[in-house]
Amino acid sequence: MAGTNPRAARIAALIQRVVASSIERELRDKRLASITVTEVRVTNDLQIAKVYWTQLGHEGHEEGERKRAQQALDQAKGHLRSLVGHKAGLRLTPQLQFVFDEVPGEAHEIEDILAVAKKRDEELARARATAQYAGDADPYKHDDEPSDDFEDDSDEE
């Protein structure tokens, strides 16, 4: 993808700027009000540009809003491609493919898992603070201490 070809990386950055600003300023579609373009990846042959996007939705209505936004992006695909071609000055303008970016949602799930793990660690730390040893604190024998297993020579006489 764009990581291996520096020209593809530059074009991907340009496409991201053009598409994001066009969605914000030129397209008057209410379905695209809360769209954020997170990344653009262009193939090395500069034929296809995958535009990754995410959306801040209302609680409980995310799926429907996502479908309506995808429809709006698909309808505006030709207009956005012509804007990219005009501003980029490319001989062949890449075909735009809009892909919903799942990473932000998965990041929230990971943050929730980390919060639960942190809470468990705090509970264990509190339990450790009041814990006592079941036996000796150091149950191992050391060479520098006198041994309890000495033989009493006075009993043999």
Side-chain angles (χ1 to χ4, degrees):
M1 288 279 163
T4 59
N5 186 349
R7 183 167 186 238
R10 284 193 314 271
I11 291 173
L14 175 67
I15 291 172
Q16 183 173 358
R17 285 192 307 270
V18 169
V19 169
S21 66
S22 298
I23 288 173
E24 182 181 342
R25 295 184 186 126
E26 295 182 23
L27 299 178
R28 302 285 185 231
D29 198 335
K30 292 179 183 177
R31 299 175 290 181
L32 301 176
S34 58
I35 295 292
T36 302
V37 177
T38 56
E39 184 179 8
V40 175
R41 293 182 184 169
V42 179
T43 57
N44 285 334
D45 62 358
L46 307 177
Q47 294 296 311
I48 299 172
K50 287 189 178 183
V51 180
Y52 292 90
W53 60 277
T54 188
Q55 181 179 30
L56 295 174
H58 298 90
E59 192 69 31
H61 301 286
E62 293 95 354
E63 190 67 31
E65 290 177 357
R66 182 186 312 160
K67 287 180 182 177
R68 287 189 291 278
Q70 184 70 47
Q71 289 173 349
L73 288 170
D74 289 338
Q75 289 174 355
K77 190 182 293 188
H79 178 68
L80 290 171
R81 184 177 180 194
S82 65
L83 287 173
V84 166
H86 177 72
K87 293 189 179 183
L90 298 173
R91 185 171 55 93
L92 295 173
T93 304
Q95 175 186 355
L96 300 179
Q97 294 179 351
F98 291 97
V99 179
F100 183 75
D101 195 357
E102 298 286 342
V103 172
E106 292 173 0
H108 289 297
E109 291 175 15
I110 292 172
E111 288 175 358
D112 293 341
I113 292 169
L114 290 174
V116 169
K118 183 178 179 182
K119 183 178 176 184
R120 285 186 197 154
D121 287 346
E122 290 171 354
E123 290 172 2
L124 285 173
R126 281 194 300 270
R128 254 188 247 120
T130 59
Q132 295 179 355
Y133 292 105
D136 293 334
D138 188 12
Y140 300 104
K141 293 182 182 180
H142 299 282
D143 292 335
D144 57 345
E145 295 178 0
S147 174
D148 290 340
D149 298 335
F150 63 92
E151 293 180 15
D152 193 7
D153 293 334
S154 61
D155 290 339
E156 291 180 9
E157 293 178 21

